[in-house]
Amino acid sequence: MGKTTAYVGLDVHKDTIAVALAEVGLRGEVRVYGKIANTPAAVKTLATKLAGRHGELWFCYEAGPCGYGIQRQLSSLGHDCQVVAPSLIPRKPGDRIKTDRRDAAKLATLHRAGELTPVWVPDQAHEAMRDLVRARQAAVRSVRQARQQLSSFLLRHGHHYQRPAWTKAHRRWLSGLKFEQPVHYIVLEDAIAAVEAATARRDRLEAQIEAALPEWSLAPVVEALQALRGIRLVAAATLVAELGDLSRFTNPRQLMAYLGLVPSEHSSGNTRRQGGVTKAGNGMARRMLIEAAWSYRFPARLSREQLLRQEHLAKAIRDIAWKAQERLCRRYRKLMRDGKLPTVVTTAMARELAGFVWAIAQEVQVKAG
């Protein structure tokens, strides 16, 4: 009997992997292979056994906390392996039974039918930079939480700083506070130490991001994106680390949809209804664009810092950045005059800013190529 192509679904967990195979063809058999240990040796043994029975193997598994190690291992063995987006897997509303065996068989069947959507798999260097950027983002959340805890403690005891907080003057004000209970001084100093430790961690990680950039293959894209108003080094590095290779988007509308910055829609017949943005895709990159979009509420101008960032960039990139400023600042004022909410206007600016990010990335890649 000749060897045939098989589609292999892997339901990956921390300790085990459920395996199912779907033979090629619409009526091909779908069978459960069993469970194996989630170790490189077990995965290699599985691939070797299946390759001896089938001519070609097409693996797939859901993106999850176990990362891309299995994909890289199977690819190094010469097999095709896709990591698929869990949120885009078709599901039957009436299917109420979920087991590892069923999930593996479902993945194999859908992979054979071409119904799965693969995610972009970064290389190890890119994944390392993404981990560094996400560690910095976690540090930012820790700073915010520590500051909130300190402010809440002070508010409970009737102390409220009326001026901009977290400055040197604010730190001097904290050192002069008076409490009736001696224990409250201990709580205050502990809260201040937590804020300072979280801030130091954030600053340390930002310095590490800057130090790691020269060795990164996408560093030219990070440098070019800083030509845009509101996008500095950390924001540019976060965008590129989260979005990856922007050349995989054939047009800016695909990038906007990937970021969840396009309006949702529920239309039927002659009725067309559009709602808020879908908020699908990468939330961290979307948040960075929205934060950058706030800067376009001011008139278009080139600051000294922005001129210094653009000094070594190509004229085409500088032209795109200035075109973005002119358009987005004008659009921001127009939408505000029309009575739109500031949050709605800023989200609209973030959507258009994503288009300029795509244009600059394409220009950099053309030059690099």
Side-chain angles (χ1 to χ4, degrees):
M1 182 177 178
K3 294 183 178 181
T4 60
T5 301
Y7 295 85
V8 186
L10 305 176
D11 189 48
V12 180
H13 296 276
K14 179 179 66 175
D15 298 320
T16 62
I17 302 175
V19 184
L21 292 86
E23 301 286 351
V24 69
L26 294 179
R27 297 184 179 180
E29 181 185 5
V30 179
R31 65 181 186 277
V32 176
Y33 179 85
K35 281 189 177 182
I36 63 171
N38 189 354
T39 62
V43 172
K44 182 178 180 181
T45 301
L46 171 71
T48 303
K49 286 183 178 180
L50 294 181
R53 302 173 186 174
H54 302 277
E56 193 173 9
L57 298 175
W58 297 75
F59 290 87
C60 73
Y61 66 95
E62 295 182 41
C66 292
Y68 305 106
I70 295 174
Q71 192 275 343
R72 295 192 180 110
Q73 181 183 2
L74 291 173
S75 297
S76 67
L77 294 174
H79 304 296
D80 182 89
C81 181
Q82 292 186 357
V83 184
V84 302
S87 60
L88 299 179
I89 295 177
R91 304 184 188 279
K92 297 178 181 178
D95 190 358
R96 304 293 182 180
I97 301 177
K98 183 184 184 302
T99 64
D100 295 347
R101 295 161 58 92
R102 280 174 171 257
D103 288 345
K106 181 179 179 180
L107 284 172
T109 304
L110 292 174
H111 190 31
R112 180 179 64 185
E115 296 291 336
L116 298 176
T117 303
V119 302
W120 179 73
V121 178
D123 57 28
Q124 290 182 321
H126 189 106
E127 189 176 12
M129 179 59 74
R130 181 185 290 180
D131 289 339
L132 182 59
V133 165
R134 290 180 177 178
R136 182 258 172 193
Q137 191 64 26
V140 170
R141 289 193 295 268
S142 298
V143 171
R144 185 166 56 246
Q145 183 180 13
R147 288 178 173 179
Q148 180 61 38
Q149 289 175 348
L150 175 55
S151 297
S152 299
F153 165 73
L154 295 176
L155 188 60
R156 288 198 306 271
H157 296 282
H159 299 290
H160 179 58
Y161 194 65
Q162 301 294 338
R163 288 171 289 177
W166 315 116
T167 60
K168 291 183 179 180
H170 180 240
R171 182 65 180 87
R172 290 193 294 269
W173 175 80
L174 290 174
S175 63
L177 292 177
K178 302 295 182 183
F179 297 94
E180 294 182 2
Q181 299 296 324
V183 174
H184 286 157
Y185 291 101
I186 299 175
V187 176
L188 175 63
E189 291 303 319
D190 182 76
I192 292 174
V195 172
E196 292 176 347
T199 304
R201 178 193 174 200
R202 180 200 62 191
D203 296 341
R204 187 167 58 250
L205 287 170
E206 288 181 358
Q208 291 295 333
I209 291 174
E210 186 175 1
L213 273 179
E215 304 298 327
W216 191 20
S217 60
L218 292 179
V221 183
V222 174
E223 183 180 1
L225 290 184
Q226 295 179 63
L228 291 166
R229 183 176 187 171
I231 298 181
R232 299 185 184 181
L233 187 142
V234 172
T238 301
L239 280 172
V240 177
E242 293 295 332
L243 297 177
D245 183 11
L246 292 175
S247 64
R248 72 183 192 275
F249 300 104
T250 57
N251 58 67
R253 292 185 299 276
Q254 288 185 355
L255 176 59
M256 296 172 190
Y258 176 80
L259 289 167
L261 289 170
V262 295
S264 58
E265 183 173 346
H266 184 79
S267 301
S268 179
N270 296 326
T271 304
R272 184 169 184 260
R273 297 188 182 92
Q274 285 189 312
V277 294
T278 61
K279 294 185 180 179
N282 193 292
M284 190 179 299
R286 180 173 63 251
R287 183 164 54 251
M288 285 294 170
L289 285 175
I290 291 176
E291 289 179 0
W294 281 104
S295 65
Y296 292 95
R297 64 188 186 276
F298 303 110
R301 60 181 291 271
L302 285 175
S303 65
R304 181 177 181 276
E305 183 181 0
Q306 195 172 1
L307 284 172
L308 291 175
R309 294 202 302 266
Q310 295 182 3
E311 189 175 3
H312 302 292
L313 298 178
K315 184 178 184 300
I317 295 175
R318 298 199 304 269
D319 290 344
I320 294 173
W322 178 245
K323 181 180 178 182
Q325 265 210 74
E326 286 189 315
R327 175 175 173 80
L328 297 184
C329 291
R330 183 176 64 251
R331 287 276 296 162
Y332 194 101
R333 291 194 299 272
K334 180 183 182 301
L335 292 176
M336 289 298 293
R337 285 196 302 269
D338 292 343
K340 302 292 185 181
L341 292 174
T343 52
V344 175
V345 175
T346 305
T347 303
M349 296 305 98
R351 179 170 61 249
E352 295 199 24
L353 183 58
F356 289 106
V357 167
W358 179 87
I360 287 179
Q362 299 302 312
E363 187 67 29
V364 173
Q365 289 162 2
V366 168
K367 295 297 183 183

